[in-house]
């Protein structure tokens, strides 16, 4: 079920509960609607200055009305997203860093497999955000398995199973796996 009015019904209440009044940055793994809905409203409501996308985000947005609309709105509001490339490290504060692990700059994969994969670290702990990557991206990331080790894994593609899933999870070696699949895990 799609959530409407994410600012008023989800983000706002959560931020109030957490005692926060602002959003510093938004990272968009890829342009699928379930990953971008509400971003323009959140960016405006919380004066978000840093919005990050991967190198193929705009390419995959062509012909996809919601994603094109988001990019247009952000550009019009003078909030053009900044492109992050594999290998970049973004400091977000004291002891907080984001490392971009994927996609390669000249990737020719699907929107899902071109999703930006990031490893967030804070005070020696880590979370691996995988977007909707599938087998091709997992294979590419497994070429350097040491970079994947994380305490928490946000399950790729909502917890779907790929031929590479077992090896991928083994390389990440998480203590916790979070999945947004509302049915059953594969």
């Amino acid at each position: 079920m799609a959530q409407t009015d994410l600012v008023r019904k989800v983000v706002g209440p959560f931020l109030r509960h957490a005692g926060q009044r602002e959003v510093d940055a938004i990272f968009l793994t890829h342009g699928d609607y379930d990953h971008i809905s509400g971003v323009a409203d959140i960016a405006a409501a919380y004066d978000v200055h840093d919005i990050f996308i991967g190198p193929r985000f705009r390419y995959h947005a062509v012909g996809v009305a919601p994603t094109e609309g988001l990019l247009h709105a952000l550009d019009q509001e003078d909030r053009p997203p900044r492109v992050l490339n594999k290998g970049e490290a973004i400091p977000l504060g004291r002891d907080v860093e984001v490392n971009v692990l994927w996609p390669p700059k000249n990737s020719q994969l699907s929107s899902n497999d071109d999703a930006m994969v990031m490893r967030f670290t804070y005070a020696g702990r880590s979370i691996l955000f995988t977007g909707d990557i599938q087998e091709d991206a997992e294979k590419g990331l497994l070429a350097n398995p040491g970079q994947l080790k994380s305490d928490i894994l946000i399950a790729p593609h909502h917890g779907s199973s790929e031929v590479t899933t077992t090896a991928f999870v083994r390389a990440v070696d998480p203590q916790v796996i979070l999945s947004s699949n509302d049915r059953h895990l594969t």
Side-chain angles (χ1 to χ4, degrees):
M1 178 172 87
Q3 178 66 38
T4 59
D5 197 358
L6 289 171
V7 172
R8 194 171 61 79
K9 294 181 179 177
V10 179
V11 176
F14 172 77
L15 290 175
R16 281 191 301 281
H17 174 76
Q20 299 294 317
R21 295 178 181 212
E22 56 189 46
V23 174
D24 294 329
I26 296 174
F27 293 82
L28 300 174
T29 58
H30 63 298
D32 286 2
Y33 183 74
D34 60 325
H35 292 257
I36 65 159
S37 66
V39 167
D41 294 335
I42 293 166
Y46 294 98
D47 195 28
V48 178
H49 293 286
D50 293 317
I51 300 172
F52 299 100
I53 59 175
R56 302 265 295 159
F57 190 97
R58 285 189 186 270
Y59 171 83
H60 288 296
V62 174
V64 181
T67 313
E68 284 182 330
L70 169 64
L71 289 171
H72 179 74
L74 294 173
D75 290 342
Q76 290 296 106
E77 294 172 12
D78 200 25
R79 299 175 199 274
R82 178 177 157 206
V83 175
L84 294 178
N85 291 297
K86 178 181 174 181
E88 285 191 66
I90 310 299
L92 294 179
R94 201 170 119 214
D95 296 328
V96 182
E97 186 172 82
V98 177
N99 291 285
V100 181
L101 307 179
W102 189 264
K105 194 169 188 173
N106 297 317
S107 175
Q108 298 293 311
L109 298 173
S110 69
S111 175
N112 282 351
D113 278 325
D114 272 341
M116 190 166 46
V117 174
M118 300 159 289
R119 187 172 182 266
F120 284 65
T121 57
Y122 171 68
R125 306 296 279 180
S126 57
I127 303 173
L128 187 66
F129 288 83
T130 60
D132 280 351
I133 64 167
Q134 295 174 285
E135 185 175 341
D136 288 337
E138 287 181 2
K139 279 183 189 175
L141 286 159
L142 284 168
N144 188 3
Q147 71 182 349
L148 299 174
K149 174 70 176 113
S150 299
D151 299 300
I152 299 172
L153 169 63
I154 308 299
H157 205 202
H158 308 278
S160 67
S161 182
E162 304 291 333
V163 171
T164 49
T165 298
T166 300
F168 190 80
V169 171
R170 192 172 289 130
V172 176
D173 191 26
Q175 296 172 8
V176 175
I177 300 174
L178 298 177
S179 175
S180 61
N181 186 330
D182 65 351
R183 291 169 195 88
H184 65 285
L185 293 176
T186 54

